[in-house]
Amino acid sequence: MEERKKNPLYIPQGLKTRVEIFDGFGKEELFKTIMVTIVVGILDIMYYLIFKNMVVSIVTILVAIAGSVMMLTKDHTNISVVDQVGFMVRFANSQKYYPYKYQDEWR
């Protein structure tokens, strides 16, 4: 017990073991941003061919790029917004519902 007090357990937080383009944004996030840009770009081209609205098309592609970079950039705890939403969905799906049914114990 005394040994534990002398050497407390230290758990480092926010370690980054990969090369990053800028703080919190590495190659994996860049690949995901490129994929989002390609998908939104294809949808944006189809929208432009139908409605011929250049302003909406340009704003859409710029918002898609900026939004994906913001959503995928990891903070000092090494978790991004997309990671956090994934954690919340997984937690919600793991919860079980056990309804309580009252029964008279003494009858």
Side-chain angles (χ1 to χ4, degrees), residues 25-91:
F25 194 85
K27 289 181 182 179
E28 181 182 343
E29 290 81 18
L30 179 63
F31 177 74
K32 290 177 183 178
T33 299
I34 291 171
M35 296 307 296
V36 167
T37 304
I38 289 171
V39 170
V40 172
I42 291 169
L43 295 173
D44 202 28
I45 290 170
M46 291 179 358
Y47 175 83
Y48 176 74
L49 292 174
I50 295 170
F51 296 106
K52 305 290 187 201
N53 193 338
M54 180 69 74
V55 174
V56 172
S57 295
I58 291 172
V59 169
T60 302
I61 197 72
L62 291 175
V63 167
I65 294 169
S68 64
V69 168
M70 288 190 311
M71 299 285 272
L72 292 169
T73 301
K74 297 180 183 293
D75 62 359
H76 66 279
T77 60
N78 210 16
I79 297 175
S80 68
V81 174
V82 174
D83 295 337
Q84 187 66 32
V85 170
F87 296 153
M88 289 189 298
V89 167
R90 189 169 1 141
F91 177 76

